[in-house]
């Protein structure tokens, strides 16, 4: 590696353009255009089939996209057929425009317009590359010759729009904008604007793509501000952004570009696209959402969106993908879990209307995630609060003292197995290791009588030996404990007891937690039954069995 081979290859405005830096936040959503079916599709190892593209198109419509770039119809028969299918099968809603891409070359533009015949709402997006590197190394043409390509493309698009049935709008991109001198990019774009003569009813889109991300985000923002301030007929032009992620800054660059005056954003779901990908529209939209701005897109069921995307693209949504990944709300750390659990409880008790739970920038339920399985994740690093929270989701509210004991048990088990434990596994372990235990002691039958004190007659099985035993006490649980101590020579004291209803309804079950002290050790046992007395006795037996083990 030699850093000396590289130098600055981007351009800054001829005068300071930093007004965007005075703005604190984006206050309204930009116009969105999904390019998943074109830019995203061309970056796939196996491009989508016709049926898969239709499925994806329908999803994008459902999510609320009003502009969808559907392909490069002159590139292949499949691309052409997809555009025709959308039109002939009336799959395009009245309020949605499809967008198609074409190079600013005559035969490609003509083929593109043929594909759009009869389209109710279409955006013809034509482009030619303007950067220094492309002019010198690829096209070997002068600035004037490159500008002429854009101008000729604009004239042909305008001419064909008057000849072919359909409703057309236009978009122009000086491709590789970030590697183009800004004064020259402005000159080319203004030439295109002057040819189209846009109106307030039919605005021209000028797209400023970071075809390759070359600079820090603030440089891109300043370039966008320069263009926005100096474009001809600015009130009749929509400034659009199309950021790629080569430096990993596409989201930041786009957000600053919107602050700098852009009206519109092109990108893809999950950021799929050439090389490192396009800007992730879900991240952009949800970033607005976290600031209380309506993004005008519906991402309330992220799991379903991920499923369809992975099916048709054969790509995988990264587990840590912002807002979308399976682990983005997950807390394994004990301190994080404790803060989240307490924050959720605080919100619920105080009925807060605004969200501010620690470690969770949004409510996971807003994007279709589930607290028990997506937020509190249990492994050897987890804490008692998180483990207790998982059981709480099943109606089990562990006493404070028991939470620590059970958490150590679960963490130790996770550590030995070297794996995460699911909520279902934790519940199964809880029942297997602590609830209604019957070995080596069980009490299949007991009967109470009340005189001055409560007396009990118990059929017990201890170490496989069945015995009929009796005892008495101040209460039923005390009577059972005395019978076991006196007849089976068991040494223990009850030090804590609590209970609650496990679930609501006529068939509700009670759960009891009984802590005993035996040989200087304190142990909790759990009993569950439809009868609270039975539950308390089973909890005592469970605790004794744990001490005997």
């Amino acid at each position: 590696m030699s850093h000396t081979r590289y130098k600055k290859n981007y351009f800054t405005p001829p005068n300071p353009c930093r007004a965007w830096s005075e703005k604190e936040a984006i206050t309204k959503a930009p116009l969105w255009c999904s390019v998943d079916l074109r830019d995203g599709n061309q970056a796939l190892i196996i491009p989508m089939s016709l049926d898969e593209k239709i499925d994806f198109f329908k999803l994008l419509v459902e999510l609320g996209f009003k502009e969808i770039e559907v392909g490069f119809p002159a590139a292949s028969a499949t691309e052409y057929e997809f555009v025709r299918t959308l039109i002939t099968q009336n799959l395009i809603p009245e309020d949605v425009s499809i967008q198609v891409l074409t190079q600013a070359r005559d035969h490609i533009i003509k083929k593109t317009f043929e594909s759009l015949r009869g389209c109710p709402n279409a955006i013809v997006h034509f482009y030619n590359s303007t950067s220094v590197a492309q002019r010198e190394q690829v096209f070997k043409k002068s600035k004037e010759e490159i500008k002429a390509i854009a101008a000729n493309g604009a004239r042909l698009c305008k001419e064909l729009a008057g000849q072919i049935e359909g409703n057309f709008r236009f978009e122009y991109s000086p491709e590789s904008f970030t590697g183009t001198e800004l004064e020259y990019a402005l000159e080319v774009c203004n030439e295109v604007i002057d040819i189209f003569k846009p109106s307030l009813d039919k605005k021209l889109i000028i797209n400023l793509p970071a075809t390759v991300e070359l600079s820090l985000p603030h440089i891109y923002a300043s370039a966008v501000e320069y263009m926005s301030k100096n474009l001809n007929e600015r009130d009749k032009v929509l400034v659009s952004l199309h950021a790629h992620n080569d430096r990993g800054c596409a989201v930041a660059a786009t957000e600053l570009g919107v602050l700098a005056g852009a009206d519109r954003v092109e990108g893809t779901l999950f950021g799929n696209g050439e090389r490192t990908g396009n800007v992730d529209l879900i991240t952009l939209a949800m970033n607005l959402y976290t600031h209380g701005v309506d993004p005008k897109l519906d991402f309330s069921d992220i799991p379903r969106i991920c499923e369809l995307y992975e099916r048709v693209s054969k790509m995988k949504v990264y587990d840590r993908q912002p807002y979308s990944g399976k682990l983005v709300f997950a807390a394994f750390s004990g301190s994080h879990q404790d803060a989240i659990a307490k924050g959720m409880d605080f919100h619920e008790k105080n009925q807060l209307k605004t969200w501010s739970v620690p470690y969770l920038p949004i409510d996971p339920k807003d994007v279709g995630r589930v607290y028990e399985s997506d937020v509190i994740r249990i492994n050897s690093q987890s804490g008692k609060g998180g483990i207790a929270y998982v059981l709480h989701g099943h109606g089990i509210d562990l006493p404070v003292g028991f939470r620590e004991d059970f958490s150590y048990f679960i963490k130790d088990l996770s550590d030995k197995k070297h794996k995460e434990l699911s909520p279902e596994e934790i519940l199964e372990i809880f029942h297997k290791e602590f609830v209604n235990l019957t070995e080596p002691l069980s009490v299949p039958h007991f009967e109470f009588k009340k005189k001055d004190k409560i007396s009990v007659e118990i059929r017990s099985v201890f170490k496989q030996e069945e015995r009929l035993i009796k005892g008495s006490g101040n209460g039923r649980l005390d009577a059972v404990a005395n019978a076991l101590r006196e007849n089976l020579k068991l040494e223990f004291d009850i030090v804590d007891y609590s209970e609650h209803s496990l679930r609501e309804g006529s068939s509700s079950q009670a759960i009891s937690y009984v802590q005993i002290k035996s040989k200087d050790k304190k142990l909790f046992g759990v009993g569950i039954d439809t009868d609270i007395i039975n539950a308390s006795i089973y909890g005592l037996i469970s605790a004794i069995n744990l001490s005997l083990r």
Side-chain angles (χ1 to χ4, degrees), residues 98-139:
I98 63 168
Q99 180 171 302
V100 292
L101 187 69
T102 175
Q103 293 173 328
R105 298 171 66 186
D106 288 6
H107 70 287
I108 298 179
I109 291 174
K110 290 176 181 177
K111 182 76 171 178
T112 299
F113 269 91
E114 287 175 17
S115 74
L116 292 172
R117 189 177 297 276
C119 185
N121 292 296
I123 300 171
V124 178
H125 179 188
F126 71 103
Y127 73 93
N128 67 302
S129 193
T130 57
S131 69
V132 175
Q134 294 265 21
R135 294 196 315 260
E136 292 179 350
Q137 300 173 37
V138 180
F139 300 110

Coordinates of all heavy atoms in Angstrom, one line a residue, residues 98-139:
I98 N -43.4 5.6 -13.4 CA -42.2 4.7 -13.6 C -41.1 5.5 -14.2 O -41.4 6.4 -15.0 CB -42.5 3.4 -14.4 CG1 -43.0 3.8 -15.8 CG2 -43.5 2.6 -13.7 CD1 -43.0 2.6 -16.7
Q99 N -39.9 5.2 -13.9 CA -38.7 5.9 -14.5 C -37.8 4.9 -15.2 O -37.7 3.8 -14.7 CB -38.0 6.6 -13.3 CG -36.7 7.3 -13.7 CD -36.2 8.1 -12.6 OE1 -36.9 9.0 -12.0 NE2 -34.9 7.9 -12.2
V100 N -37.3 5.3 -16.3 CA -36.4 4.4 -17.1 C -35.1 5.2 -17.4 O -35.1 6.4 -17.5 CB -37.1 3.9 -18.4 CG1 -38.2 3.0 -18.1 CG2 -37.5 5.1 -19.3
L101 N -34.1 4.4 -17.5 CA -32.7 5.1 -17.7 C -32.3 4.8 -19.1 O -32.5 3.8 -19.7 CB -31.7 4.4 -16.7 CG -30.3 5.1 -16.7 CD1 -30.4 6.5 -16.1 CD2 -29.4 4.2 -15.9
T102 N -31.6 5.8 -19.7 CA -31.0 5.7 -21.0 C -29.8 6.6 -21.1 O -29.8 7.7 -20.5 CB -32.1 6.1 -22.1 OG1 -31.4 6.1 -23.4 CG2 -32.6 7.5 -21.9
Q103 N -28.8 6.1 -21.8 CA -27.7 6.9 -22.2 C -28.1 8.0 -23.2 O -29.1 7.8 -23.9 CB -26.6 6.1 -22.8 CG -25.9 5.1 -21.8 CD -24.9 4.2 -22.5 OE1 -25.1 3.9 -23.7 NE2 -23.9 3.8 -21.8
A104 N -27.4 9.1 -23.2 CA -27.8 10.2 -24.2 C -27.2 9.8 -25.6 O -26.4 10.5 -26.1 CB -27.2 11.5 -23.7
R105 N -27.7 8.7 -26.1 CA -27.3 8.2 -27.4 C -28.6 7.9 -28.2 O -29.5 7.3 -27.7 CB -26.5 6.9 -27.3 CG -25.2 7.2 -26.5 CD -24.4 5.9 -26.2 NE -24.0 5.2 -27.4 CZ -23.4 4.0 -27.5 NH1 -23.3 3.3 -26.3 NH2 -23.0 3.5 -28.6
D106 N -28.6 8.4 -29.5 CA -29.8 8.4 -30.2 C -30.6 7.1 -30.3 O -31.8 7.0 -30.0 CB -29.5 8.9 -31.7 CG -29.2 10.4 -31.7 OD1 -29.1 11.0 -30.6 OD2 -29.1 10.9 -32.8
H107 N -29.9 6.0 -30.7 CA -30.6 4.7 -30.9 C -31.1 4.2 -29.5 O -32.1 3.5 -29.5 CB -29.7 3.7 -31.6 CG -28.5 3.2 -30.8 ND1 -27.4 4.0 -30.5 CD2 -28.3 2.0 -30.1 CE1 -26.6 3.3 -29.7 NE2 -27.1 2.1 -29.5
I108 N -30.4 4.5 -28.4 CA -30.8 4.0 -27.1 C -32.0 4.8 -26.6 O -33.0 4.2 -26.1 CB -29.7 4.0 -26.1 CG1 -28.5 3.1 -26.6 CG2 -30.1 3.6 -24.7 CD1 -27.3 3.1 -25.7
I109 N -32.0 6.1 -26.9 CA -33.2 6.9 -26.5 C -34.4 6.5 -27.3 O -35.5 6.3 -26.7 CB -32.9 8.4 -26.8 CG1 -31.8 8.9 -25.8 CG2 -34.1 9.2 -26.6 CD1 -31.3 10.3 -26.1
K110 N -34.3 6.2 -28.6 CA -35.4 5.8 -29.4 C -36.0 4.5 -28.9 O -37.2 4.3 -28.8 CB -35.0 5.7 -30.9 CG -34.7 7.0 -31.5 CD -34.2 6.9 -32.9 CE -33.9 8.2 -33.5 NZ -33.3 8.1 -34.9
K111 N -35.1 3.5 -28.6 CA -35.6 2.2 -28.1 C -36.3 2.4 -26.7 O -37.3 1.7 -26.4 CB -34.4 1.3 -27.9 CG -34.7 -0.1 -27.4 CD -35.3 -1.0 -28.5 CE -35.4 -2.4 -28.1 NZ -36.0 -3.3 -29.1
T112 N -35.8 3.3 -25.9 CA -36.4 3.6 -24.6 C -37.8 4.1 -24.8 O -38.7 3.7 -24.1 CB -35.5 4.6 -23.8 OG1 -34.2 4.0 -23.6 CG2 -36.1 4.9 -22.5
F113 N -38.0 5.0 -25.7 CA -39.3 5.6 -25.9 C -40.3 4.6 -26.5 O -41.5 4.6 -26.1 CB -39.3 6.8 -26.8 CG -39.1 8.1 -26.1 CD1 -37.8 8.6 -25.8 CD2 -40.2 8.8 -25.6 CE1 -37.7 9.8 -25.2 CE2 -40.0 10.0 -25.0 CZ -38.8 10.5 -24.7
E114 N -39.8 3.7 -27.3 CA -40.7 2.6 -27.8 C -41.2 1.7 -26.6 O -42.4 1.3 -26.6 CB -39.9 1.7 -28.7 CG -39.5 2.3 -30.1 CD -38.6 1.4 -30.9 OE1 -38.5 0.2 -30.6 OE2 -38.0 1.9 -31.9
S115 N -40.4 1.5 -25.6 CA -40.8 0.7 -24.5 C -41.9 1.4 -23.7 O -42.7 0.7 -23.0 CB -39.6 0.3 -23.6 OG -39.2 1.5 -22.8
L116 N -41.9 2.7 -23.8 CA -42.8 3.5 -22.9 C -44.2 3.8 -23.6 O -45.0 4.5 -23.0 CB -42.2 4.8 -22.5 CG -41.0 4.6 -21.5 CD1 -40.3 6.0 -21.3 CD2 -41.5 4.1 -20.1
R117 N -44.4 3.4 -24.8 CA -45.6 3.7 -25.6 C -46.8 3.4 -24.8 O -47.0 2.3 -24.3 CB -45.6 3.0 -26.9 CG -46.7 3.5 -27.9 CD -46.7 2.7 -29.2 NE -45.4 2.9 -29.9 CZ -45.2 4.0 -30.7 NH1 -46.1 4.9 -30.9 NH2 -44.0 4.1 -31.3
G118 N -47.7 4.5 -24.6 CA -48.9 4.3 -23.8 C -48.8 4.4 -22.3 O -49.7 4.1 -21.6
C119 N -47.6 4.8 -21.8 CA -47.4 4.8 -20.4 C -48.1 6.0 -19.8 O -47.9 7.2 -20.3 CB -45.9 4.9 -20.1 SG -45.6 4.8 -18.3
P120 N -48.9 5.9 -18.8 CA -49.7 7.0 -18.2 C -48.8 8.0 -17.5 O -49.1 9.2 -17.6 CB -50.6 6.3 -17.2 CG -50.0 5.0 -16.8 CD -49.2 4.6 -18.1
N121 N -47.7 7.6 -16.9 CA -46.8 8.5 -16.2 C -45.4 7.9 -16.3 O -45.1 6.9 -15.6 CB -47.2 8.7 -14.8 CG -48.5 9.5 -14.6 OD1 -48.6 10.6 -15.0 ND2 -49.5 8.8 -14.1
A122 N -44.5 8.6 -17.0 CA -43.2 8.1 -17.2 C -42.2 9.2 -17.0 O -42.4 10.4 -17.4 CB -43.0 7.4 -18.5
I123 N -41.0 8.9 -16.4 CA -39.9 9.8 -16.3 C -38.8 9.2 -17.1 O -38.3 8.0 -16.9 CB -39.4 10.0 -14.9 CG1 -40.5 10.5 -14.0 CG2 -38.2 10.9 -14.8 CD1 -40.2 10.5 -12.5
V124 N -38.3 9.9 -18.2 CA -37.2 9.4 -19.0 C -35.9 10.1 -18.4 O -35.8 11.3 -18.4 CB -37.4 9.8 -20.5 CG1 -36.2 9.4 -21.3 CG2 -38.7 9.2 -21.0
H125 N -35.1 9.2 -17.9 CA -33.9 9.7 -17.2 C -32.7 9.4 -18.1 O -32.3 8.3 -18.3 CB -33.7 8.9 -15.9 CG -32.5 9.2 -15.1 ND1 -32.1 8.5 -14.0 CD2 -31.6 10.2 -15.2 CE1 -31.0 9.0 -13.5 NE2 -30.6 10.0 -14.3
F126 N -32.2 10.5 -18.7 CA -31.0 10.3 -19.6 C -29.8 10.9 -19.0 O -29.9 11.8 -18.2 CB -31.3 10.9 -21.0 CG -31.4 12.4 -21.1 CD1 -30.4 13.2 -21.6 CD2 -32.5 13.1 -20.6 CE1 -30.4 14.5 -21.6 CE2 -32.6 14.5 -20.7 CZ -31.5 15.2 -21.2
Y127 N -28.6 10.4 -19.4 CA -27.4 10.9 -18.8 C -26.2 10.7 -19.7 O -26.3 10.0 -20.7 CB -27.1 10.0 -17.5 CG -26.7 8.6 -17.9 CD1 -25.3 8.3 -18.0 CD2 -27.6 7.6 -18.1 CE1 -24.9 7.0 -18.3 CE2 -27.2 6.3 -18.4 CZ -25.9 6.0 -18.5 OH -25.5 4.7 -18.9
N128 N -25.2 11.5 -19.4 CA -23.9 11.2 -20.0 C -22.8 11.7 -19.0 O -23.1 12.5 -18.2 CB -23.7 12.0 -21.3 CG -23.7 13.5 -21.2 OD1 -24.6 14.1 -20.6 ND2 -22.6 14.1 -21.6
S129 N -21.7 11.0 -19.1 CA -20.7 11.3 -18.1 C -19.9 12.6 -18.4 O -19.5 12.8 -19.5 CB -19.7 10.1 -18.0 OG -18.9 10.2 -16.8
T130 N -19.6 13.4 -17.3 CA -19.0 14.7 -17.5 C -17.7 14.8 -16.8 O -17.0 15.9 -16.9 CB -19.9 15.8 -17.0 OG1 -20.3 15.5 -15.6 CG2 -21.2 15.8 -17.8
S131 N -17.2 13.8 -16.0 CA -16.0 14.0 -15.2 C -14.8 14.1 -16.0 O -14.7 13.7 -17.2 CB -15.9 12.8 -14.2 OG -15.6 11.7 -14.9
V132 N -13.7 14.7 -15.3 CA -12.4 14.8 -16.0 C -11.9 13.5 -16.4 O -11.4 13.3 -17.5 CB -11.4 15.5 -15.0 CG1 -10.0 15.5 -15.6 CG2 -11.9 16.9 -14.6
A133 N -12.0 12.5 -15.5 CA -11.4 11.1 -15.8 C -12.2 10.5 -17.0 O -11.5 9.9 -17.9 CB -11.6 10.2 -14.6
Q134 N -13.5 10.6 -17.0 CA -14.2 10.1 -18.2 C -14.0 10.8 -19.5 O -13.8 10.2 -20.5 CB -15.7 10.1 -17.8 CG -16.2 9.2 -16.7 CD -16.7 7.9 -17.1 OE1 -16.4 7.4 -18.2 NE2 -17.4 7.2 -16.3
R135 N -13.9 12.1 -19.4 CA -13.6 12.9 -20.6 C -12.3 12.5 -21.2 O -12.1 12.3 -22.4 CB -13.7 14.4 -20.3 CG -15.0 14.9 -19.9 CD -15.1 16.4 -20.0 NE -14.0 17.2 -19.5 CZ -14.0 17.8 -18.3 NH1 -15.0 17.7 -17.5 NH2 -12.9 18.4 -17.9
E136 N -11.3 12.4 -20.3 CA -9.9 12.2 -20.8 C -9.6 10.8 -21.1 O -8.9 10.5 -22.1 CB -8.9 12.7 -19.7 CG -8.9 14.2 -19.5 CD -8.0 14.6 -18.4 OE1 -7.4 13.7 -17.7 OE2 -7.7 15.9 -18.3
Q137 N -10.1 9.8 -20.3 CA -9.7 8.4 -20.4 C -10.7 7.6 -21.3 O -10.2 6.6 -21.9 CB -9.5 7.8 -19.0 CG -8.5 8.5 -18.2 CD -8.5 8.0 -16.8 OE1 -8.7 6.8 -16.5 NE2 -8.3 8.9 -15.8
V138 N -11.9 7.9 -21.2 CA -12.9 7.0 -21.8 C -13.4 7.6 -23.2 O -13.3 6.9 -24.2 CB -14.2 6.8 -20.9 CG1 -15.2 5.9 -21.6 CG2 -13.7 6.2 -19.6
F139 N -13.9 8.8 -23.1 CA -14.5 9.4 -24.4 C -13.4 10.2 -25.2 O -13.6 10.3 -26.4 CB -15.6 10.3 -24.0 CG -16.7 9.6 -23.3 CD1 -17.0 9.9 -21.9 CD2 -17.5 8.7 -23.9 CE1 -18.0 9.2 -21.2 CE2 -18.5 8.0 -23.2 CZ -18.7 8.3 -21.9

